[in-house]
């Protein structure tokens, strides 16, 4: 009896619920009927072959979140549909090509591309190189450039709509000589037949990057991006820089710094080169993860004095290029400071430039002024051999002061570093530029050189691991001779640092 009463009561509740729903607004009944119809269609689409003209059920579901303007829903219902669609269908599914049997009995296999292996172009920077020319720096897929024929078109679009835009083919320069990994460095030179832009209205430079079937011969895409957006003040600032004498005599473009660098070695390198290059010099340091707090403390005094600019380039690590995208970084530096320096130097922070005592850097570069580029001879130094007389005192001496044994092995080719007059350079590399206007000389022996303390910048420990008392020796098959050239310069460098920035770095540790 109790069961029957519950069943009867329950039936009454069900009838009441149905009645309430059925007597709701006509708008809600239309909605429920429409939803029932649409979900029925979606269910049927699951069984239709992929090559049928409808794309997929996901396409139909995506339409629900964007109804046609003529379809009227209440605000609450529209809101609920949007949330439902965002939750159930967060993104559109990629179309998949299925295998199929052709009429002649051949099984045609399907190949479905999903996602992207590498970007067509990764823009870092773009600068004017003259009134009619620009340089655009970036990264691009290395396989695309090795196996395909990508091209670039440059278009100048005046801000004044009454003027026509102008397009020219972009000249592609690959400065990394094949060292790239997933990405390779690219410099696009855009040279127009006459000057573009003005100080009245400005304009913008567009780059149209076309793959030309690289990698997938059935696919040819063009990506367009703004490389330069120039305002009238931008053009005026360029004109002033272009027509003025260079601000600096010498500018250093540093490669990407990464890893757990030795702050004491950085301290020594900076003090030495600020003294050598003089008051009209500047150092651009690129932080790819190597400027940790202790190194930052070393850079700060020189930044405050105006000698150093620090640039954070850590985001380039997202794109797998050679040596932390070193080629990209030096090309950006070249074009960014192209009109601000007479000479631009490219070398590393474990390398020390030196000129003989009877000459100065100014006199040496004066004799080389007829060349756009010159290379610098390497003096490789041991990174572990020190004098026995320094026993118990090595921790107080600077690295280039105590590492005094030079590698004199013959018959091998040693890397050289270089300097350029940047106005005559289109693109550059790590050890030299192959894209210059003017002459290059390698005959600088005896005039200028660099002492290389390989590996010392990356080790935060005492470098002296073997103390010897001789003028020559052979270690691991490599002959060394005593060379105190840099040791003799240490005292003057230390006094210069103390005079210039005071004692604030005296307690720097390795």
């Amino acid at each position: 009896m109790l069961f029957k009463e519950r069943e009867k009561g329950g039936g009454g509740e069900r009838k009441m619920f149905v009645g309430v729903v059925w007597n709701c607004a006509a708008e809600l009944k239309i909605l429920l009927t429409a939803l029932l119809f649409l979900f029925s269609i979606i269910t049927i689409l699951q069984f239709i072959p992929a090559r049928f003209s409808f794309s997929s059920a996901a396409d139909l579901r995506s339409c629900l979140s964007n109804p046609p303007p003529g379809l009227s829903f209440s605000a609450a219902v529209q809101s609920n549909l949007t949330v439902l669609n965002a939750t159930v269908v967060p993104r559109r599914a990629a179309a998949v090509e299925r295998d199929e049997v052709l009429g002649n009995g051949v099984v045609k296999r399907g190949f479905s591309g999903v996602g992207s292996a590498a970007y067509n172009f990764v823009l870092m920077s773009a600068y004017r190189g003259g009134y009619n020319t620009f340089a655009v720096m970036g990264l691009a897929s290395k396989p695309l450039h090795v196996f395909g024929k990508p091209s670039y078109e440059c278009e100048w679009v005046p801000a004044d709509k009454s003027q026509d835009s102008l397009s020219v083919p972009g000249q592609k320069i690959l400065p990394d000589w094949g060292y790239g990994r997933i990405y390779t460095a690219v410099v696009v030179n855009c040279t127009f037949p006459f000057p573009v832009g003005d100080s009245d209205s400005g304009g913008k430079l567009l780059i149209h990057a076309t793959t030309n079937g690289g990698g997938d011969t059935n696919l040819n895409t063009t990506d367009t991006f703004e490389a330069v957006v120039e305002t009238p003040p931008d053009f005026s600032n360029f004109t002033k820089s272009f027509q003025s004498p260079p601000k600096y005599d010498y500018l250093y473009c540093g490669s990407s710094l990464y890893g757990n660098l030795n702050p004491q070695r950085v301290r020594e390198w900076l003090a030495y080169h600020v003294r050598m290059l003089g008051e009209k010099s500047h150092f651009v340091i690129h932080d790819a993860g190597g400027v940790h707090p202790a190194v930052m403390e070393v850079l700060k005094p020189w930044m405050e004095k105006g000698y150093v600019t620090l640039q954070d380039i850590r985001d380039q690590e997202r794109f797998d290029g050679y040596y932390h995208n070193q080629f990209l970084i030096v090309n950006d530096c070249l074009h960014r400071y192209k009109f601000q320096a007479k000479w631009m130097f490219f070398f590393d922070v474990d390398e020390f430039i030196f000129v003989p005592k009877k000459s100065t850097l100014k006199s040496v570069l004066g004799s080389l002024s007829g060349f756009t580029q010159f290379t610098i001879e390497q003096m490789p130094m041991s990174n572990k051999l020190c004098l026995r007389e320094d026993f118990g005192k090595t921790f107080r001496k600077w690295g280039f002061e105590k590492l005094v044994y030079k590698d004199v092995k013959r018959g091998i080719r040693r890397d050289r570093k270089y300097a350029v007059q940047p106005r005559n350079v289109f693109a550059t590399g790590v050890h030299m530029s192959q894209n210059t206007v003017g002459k290059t000389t390698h005959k600088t022996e005896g005039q200028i050189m660099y002492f290389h303390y390989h590996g010392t910048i990356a080790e935060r420990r005492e470098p002296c691991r073997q103390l010897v008392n001789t003028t020559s020796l052979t270690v691991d098959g490599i002959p060394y001779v005593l060379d105190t050239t840099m040791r003799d310069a240490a005292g003057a460098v230390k006094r210069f640092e103390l005079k210039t920035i005071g004692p604030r770095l005296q307690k720097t540790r390795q």
Side-chain angles (χ1 to χ4, degrees):
M1 186 69 177
L2 182 60
F3 173 79
K4 288 182 178 181
E5 289 177 354
R6 287 179 178 174
E7 186 180 29
K8 183 177 180 180
E13 291 173 358
R14 283 196 298 272
K15 289 178 182 180
M16 182 178 293
F17 173 77
V18 172
V20 171
V21 172
W22 192 249
N23 288 313
C24 285
E27 188 179 59
L28 183 57
K29 290 188 284 187
I30 292 173
L31 173 61
L32 294 174
T33 304
L35 289 177
L36 178 62
F37 174 76
L38 289 175
F39 286 128
S40 299
I41 294 298
I42 292 172
T43 303
I44 294 172
L45 286 175
Q46 304 293 334
F47 302 97
I48 297 177
R51 61 180 180 273
F52 195 69
S53 59
F54 293 111
S55 297
S56 69
D59 293 339
L60 188 57
R61 287 197 300 269
S62 66
C63 292
L64 291 175
S65 62
N66 297 288
L71 188 59
S72 176
F73 291 130
S74 68
V77 172
Q78 287 183 10
S79 176
N80 288 337
L81 281 175
T82 302
V83 173
L84 176 65
N85 190 60
T87 304
V88 178
V89 190
R91 63 187 64 176
R92 179 175 176 175
V96 177
E97 295 184 11
R98 305 294 185 186
D99 295 349
E100 60 179 310
V101 180
L102 303 180
N104 59 1
V106 175
V107 179
K108 185 179 184 301
R109 306 300 300 275
F111 297 88
S112 301
V114 178
S116 177
Y119 292 106
N120 183 4
F121 198 89
V122 180
L123 175 67
M124 179 181 182
S125 56
Y127 306 99
R128 268 193 181 272
Y131 291 116
N132 69 325
T133 186
F134 298 83
V136 182
M137 270 62 63
L139 299 171
S141 165
K142 182 178 179 181
L144 179 64
H145 284 268
V146 172
F147 302 108
K149 295 181 179 179
S151 62
Y152 303 96
E153 181 183 358
C154 309
E155 180 183 6
W156 176 258
V157 182
D160 184 352
K161 301 302 182 182
S162 66
Q163 301 179 22
D164 295 331
S165 63
L166 178 65
S167 296
V168 295
Q171 179 189 4
K172 175 182 67 177
I173 303 173
L174 304 177
D176 71 4
W177 310 330
Y179 282 105
R181 293 159 62 94
I182 293 177
Y183 288 97
T184 188
V186 180
V187 177
V188 180
N189 178 273
C190 299
T191 300
F192 296 91
F194 48 80
V196 294
D198 53 55
S199 58
D200 295 327
S201 58
K204 60 184 177 182
L205 177 69
L206 302 181
I207 301 296
H208 306 283
T210 302
T211 60
N212 289 326
D216 187 344
T217 55
N218 291 328
L219 182 65
N220 189 28
T221 62
T222 297
D223 296 291
T224 299
F225 58 90
E226 292 180 346
V228 172
V229 177
E230 187 176 70
T231 64
D234 292 334
F235 185 86
S236 298
N237 290 336
F238 165 77
T239 300
K240 182 179 179 180
S241 176
F242 184 71
Q243 296 178 347
S244 301
K247 180 179 180 180
Y248 305 111
D249 288 337
Y250 315 117
L251 188 135
Y252 168 79
C253 281
S255 295
S256 309
L257 294 183
Y258 69 97
N260 190 19
L261 298 184
N262 187 316
Q264 173 60 26
R265 301 288 90 83
V266 175
R267 171 197 177 190
E268 300 166 6
W269 184 91
L270 259 178
Y272 177 90
H273 285 98
V274 172
R275 176 177 179 270
M276 162 163 273
L277 272 61
E279 292 184 358
K280 293 189 70 176
S281 64
H282 197 73
F283 299 80
V284 182
I285 306 297
H286 296 97
D287 174 22
V291 181
H292 52 77
V295 172
M296 188 65 187
E297 289 302 313
V298 170
L299 298 180
K300 274 184 179 179
W302 302 108
M303 293 171 66
E304 293 167 1
K305 287 285 185 179
Y307 284 103
V308 171
T309 293
L310 178 63
Q311 297 190 5
D312 183 345
I313 59 163
R314 298 187 184 204
D315 274 1
Q316 57 77 32
E317 296 293 342
R318 295 161 50 201
F319 312 104
D320 187 17
Y322 174 77
Y323 203 80
H324 305 268
N325 290 304
Q326 184 177 21
F327 285 91
L328 172 66
I329 300 309
V330 294
N331 274 281
D332 171 78
C333 188
L334 166 72
H335 290 283
R336 187 179 184 90
Y337 296 96
K338 190 170 190 173
F339 303 108
Q340 297 190 35
K342 292 181 182 178
W343 287 96
M344 193 172 283
F345 283 83
F346 298 86
F347 58 99
D348 295 329
V349 291
D350 58 358
E351 299 166 345
F352 289 68
I353 300 294
F354 179 81
V355 296
K357 289 184 178 180
K358 294 182 179 181
S359 60
T360 63
L361 184 62
K362 182 178 180 179
S363 66
V364 169
L365 297 191
S367 68
L368 297 170
S369 61
F371 298 95
T372 292
Q373 175 178 231
F374 66 87
T375 60
I376 308 171
E377 182 184 16
Q378 180 185 170
M379 300 288 122
M381 303 296 289
S382 168
N383 57 11
K384 61 182 179 182
L385 297 175
C386 299
L387 286 171
R388 189 175 297 278
E389 66 184 69
D390 290 339
F391 177 75
K393 299 178 292 183
T394 56
F395 68 96
R396 293 200 299 268
K397 294 186 178 294
W398 285 13
F400 68 85
E401 181 182 9
K402 54 193 174 187
L403 293 168
V404 292
Y405 284 91
K406 182 172 65 178
D407 175 353
V408 291
K409 189 173 184 178
R410 296 180 179 274
I412 61 174
R413 179 187 175 280
R414 300 192 187 278
D415 289 334
R416 299 172 76 95
K417 294 300 168 72
Y418 70 105
V420 297
Q421 297 191 59
R423 289 190 178 221
N424 298 327
V425 182
F426 295 111
T428 198
V430 173
H431 296 288
M432 66 175 292
S433 170
Q434 292 184 328
N435 304 97
T436 63
V437 175
K439 298 182 292 183
T440 293
T441 182
H442 304 287
K443 297 179 180 180
T444 58
E445 291 83 354
Q447 292 181 275
I448 186 170
M449 61 205 72
Y450 73 94
F451 287 82
H452 187 194
Y453 301 86
H454 181 70
T456 55
I457 191 70
E459 293 185 351
R460 299 190 65 177
R461 62 175 182 175
E462 171 58 51
C464 293
R465 295 190 291 279
Q466 186 174 345
L467 302 179
V468 296
N469 188 24
T470 182
T471 57
S472 63
L473 73 162
T474 299
V475 178
D476 298 328
I478 299 176
Y480 293 93
V481 299
L482 181 66
D483 187 330
T484 61
T485 301
M486 295 295 292
R487 184 183 180 93
D488 296 340
V493 176
K494 292 177 180 179
R495 290 190 294 273
F496 171 79
E497 181 200 64
L498 187 61
K499 178 181 177 181
T500 308
I501 62 172
R504 58 191 295 184
L505 299 182
Q506 295 297 306
K507 295 183 179 181
T508 301
R509 304 183 67 178
Q510 300 189 75

